[in-house]
Amino acid sequence: MTTTNSDSLLPAQGIEAPRSGRIDPKYLRNKSSNGSFEMAAWVFMRVSGLALVVLIFVHLWVNLMVGDGIHQIDFGFVAGKWANPVWQFWDLTMLWLAMLHGTNGMRTIINDYAEKDSSRLWLKSILYVSSTVIIILGTMVIFTFEPCLVNNETGELFDSVPAFCHDL
Amino acid sequence: MSTPTQEVAEPASKIDLAEAGGSGGEIPSFDITLKVRRYDPERAEDAWWDEWTLTMYGTDRVLDALHKVKWEIDGSLTFRRSCAHGICGSDAMRINGRNRLACKALLKDLDTSKTITVEAIKGLPIEKDLIVDMEPFFQSYREIMPFLVNNSPEPTAERHQSPEDRERFDDTTKCILCAACTSSCPVFWTDGQYFGPAAIVNAHRFIFDSRDDAGDMRLEVLNDREGVWRCRTTFNCSDACPRGIEVTKAIQEVKTAILTRSL
Ligand code: HEM
Ligand code: SF4
Ligand code: FES
């Protein structure tokens, strides 16, 4: 005689008899989903992490330790750095890697801690939108940055511009 | 004819036993407070905590304390145990917040001045008191094909393997499927979708077995969205394993195997 699921229910409280082969549907996995993306993400976290160590510490060293150190940082200092293609490239790489690394890290945390699919969807949507906005905005700032700001009323350069603007 | 020898009767014990009367060293006894998280859908909708003060001995384990309650105080207390000697894997539970086998956790190793709390392992549906539904756990285990697959013609004798090849997966042969590792993993707690450390350990057992031919298939199974890449290397599983298996290391080896295979 075969036992169907309903036959194997114990009378009280609908507790299943042992080994009725039933699995709480919450635990069923969607038919095997390809994990290649997850593998790539895993590798990316490690590779970008390594690159970020170099990028971030050189960045901190150059900004805070070299020359006048922390006292040198002002509009002119940043503007001067971004007039140099090396620092443009450096900061762009740092921006993209840190943002993608951080976003993927947050994606992992959401996957690990959000309990409902709907809250996952919401949190991830907010995450992806804000990351996209920040990456686009940051990239635009690095490339369209105007170091030599001119006061529209007087037609003169602002005091805060880097020194090289006066030579132009 | 040989020289007749005088047979001397062997003593009952070769060790000098002290005279009967308890001078063999008193086993120290102490009082413990045992607090158990109870759940019984036929009695109450929600779980509740019960607390007992028990006089136990220095040689007793948490399992003995549970037995004392069940046999002498409250027969309705429900838990699994079979061997009582750390080999069947029935009695994994959360003791003072850590997954342990009740039959291997000596009371004297816990802080007996404080309440000892015992709960069912986390992340699997509780059926009653300390008993959880292990079916989802075993489903993941089945999916990694925990059996030898060999495509070559069956040999007439055993399949030979060098001691070095055998050593390669020795650690993961020790698993007793107690679920202490999987139910200690925060990633598994969230939604129960992750294959979990135990499934990966038992896949490792065959993936690195030189006699097995289905390693690729197992790697493919574990290269799932819910497979090895969900591991966050928290080491909870290695801490929980009553067999001392280096669970996190085994998971890492499977990750590396999937990676090198796809390169
Ligand atoms: C300093 C260099 C950095 C290194 C070496 C590094 C390394 C890593 C690695 C290897 C992981 C993966 C952990 C895992 O899979 O379990 C990770 C996760 C993460 N990283 Fe970084 N990272 C660095 C910088 C950053 C920065 C600048 C941010 C923020 C923008 C960030 C945010 C995150 C987040 C949110 C996670 C997810 C946390 C988790 O999975 O537990 N990291 N990091
Ligand atoms: S690996 Fe260890 S903790 Fe996990 S099921 Fe096997 S014996 Fe239990
Ligand atoms: S009762 Fe068998 S392992 Fe504890």
Side-chain angles (χ1 to χ4, degrees), chain A residues 112-131:
Chain A
D112 287 355
Y113 289 96
E115 291 182 5
K116 285 185 297 186
D117 280 346
S118 58
S119 40
R120 264 185 205 167
L121 186 73
W122 271 110
L123 290 169
K124 283 196 213 168
S125 309
I126 298 171
L127 174 70
Y128 295 152
V129 169
S130 44
S131 303

Side-chain angles (χ1 to χ4, degrees), chain B residues 170-235:
Chain B
D170 186 66
D171 202 33
T172 44
T173 61
K174 300 177 196 155
C175 178
I176 55 173
L177 294 172
C178 65
C181 55
T182 295
S183 62
S184 75
C185 178
V187 175
F188 183 76
W189 292 341
T190 308
D191 57 8
Q193 294 281 303
Y194 176 36
F195 270 80
I200 302 171
V201 159
N202 287 281
H204 180 286
R205 150 77 185 80
F206 289 100
I207 291 167
F208 294 99
D209 186 336
S210 59
R211 299 163 297 187
D212 186 89
D213 291 335
D216 267 351
M217 280 159 77
R218 296 194 184 85
L219 292 177
E220 197 44 59
V221 171
L222 290 175
N223 189 21
D224 187 271
R225 196 152 55 93
E226 305 295 343
V228 288
W229 309 115
R230 285 210 76 178
C231 166
R232 303 256 69 75
T233 337
T234 62
F235 284 91

Side-chain angles (χ1 to χ4, degrees), chain A residues 10 12-13 15-16 19-36 38-40 42-43 46 108-115 117 120, chain B residues 41-42 123-125 127 133 135-136 139-140 142-143 186-195 220 223-226 228-233 252 255 258-259 262:
Chain A
L10 298 180
Q13 307 297 328
I15 299 173
E16 301 255 351
R19 298 193 180 81
S20 51
R22 177 209 58 104
I23 292 188
D24 189 330
K26 163 169 149 30
Y27 291 87
L28 292 176
R29 264 186 293 276
N30 306 331
K31 258 288 169 235
S32 65
S33 39
N34 192 338
S36 297
E38 293 302 328
M39 181 174 73
W42 188 88
V43 174
R46 271 132 259 270
T108 309
I109 294 175
I110 293 169
N111 276 344
D112 287 355
Y113 289 96
E115 291 182 5
D117 280 346
R120 264 185 205 167
Chain B
E42 292 176 5
L124 290 162
E127 293 191 329
D133 176 6
E135 213 36 57
Q139 182 55 34
S140 294
R142 283 182 213 111
E143 278 174 54
V187 175
F188 183 76
W189 292 341
T190 308
D191 57 8
Q193 294 281 303
Y194 176 36
F195 270 80
E220 197 44 59
N223 189 21
D224 187 271
R225 196 152 55 93
E226 305 295 343
V228 288
W229 309 115
R230 285 210 76 178
C231 166
R232 303 256 69 75
T233 337
Q252 190 59 39
K255 283 180 189 164
I258 296 180
L259 210 63
S262 51

Side-chain angles (χ1 to χ4, degrees), chain B residues 63 80-92 101-104 176 178:
Chain B
L63 181 64
R80 286 195 184 102
R81 72 101 175 84
S82 298
C83 69
H85 290 81
I87 207 60
C88 69
S90 308
D91 60 344
L101 294 180
C103 63
K104 278 187 88 172
I176 55 173
C178 65

Side-chain angles (χ1 to χ4, degrees), chain B residues 127-142:
Chain B
E127 293 191 329
K128 188 176 179 185
D129 292 347
L130 302 174
I131 293 188
V132 297
D133 176 6
M134 297 279 280
E135 213 36 57
F137 172 80
F138 285 121
Q139 182 55 34
S140 294
Y141 173 62
R142 283 182 213 111

Side-chain angles (χ1 to χ4, degrees), chain A residues 28-143:
Chain A
L28 292 176
R29 264 186 293 276
N30 306 331
K31 258 288 169 235
S32 65
S33 39
N34 192 338
S36 297
F37 175 76
E38 293 302 328
M39 181 174 73
W42 188 88
V43 174
F44 172 76
M45 286 310 267
R46 271 132 259 270
V47 174
S48 60
L50 271 179
L52 280 167
V53 172
V54 178
L55 290 166
I56 291 173
F57 281 98
V58 170
H59 168 80
L60 291 175
W61 181 260
V62 167
N63 282 16
L64 308 177
M65 310 298 283
V66 175
D68 288 340
I70 193 163
H71 304 292
Q72 70 194 347
I73 298 186
D74 53 15
F75 180 85
F77 177 76
V78 178
K81 265 181 95 183
W82 278 346
N84 180 343
V86 172
W87 286 118
Q88 272 188 331
F89 175 75
W90 193 279
D91 285 5
L92 186 77
T93 316
M94 200 161 63
L95 171 77
W96 277 71
L97 283 186
M99 283 309 295
L100 293 178
H101 178 101
T103 305
N104 188 49
M106 290 306 295
R107 182 187 70 96
T108 309
I109 294 175
I110 293 169
N111 276 344
D112 287 355
Y113 289 96
E115 291 182 5
K116 285 185 297 186
D117 280 346
S118 58
S119 40
R120 264 185 205 167
L121 186 73
W122 271 110
L123 290 169
K124 283 196 213 168
S125 309
I126 298 171
L127 174 70
Y128 295 152
V129 169
S130 44
S131 303
T132 313
V133 169
I134 293 172
I135 291 178
I136 293 178
L137 219 67
T139 309
M140 277 167 53
V141 167
I142 292 176
F143 283 118

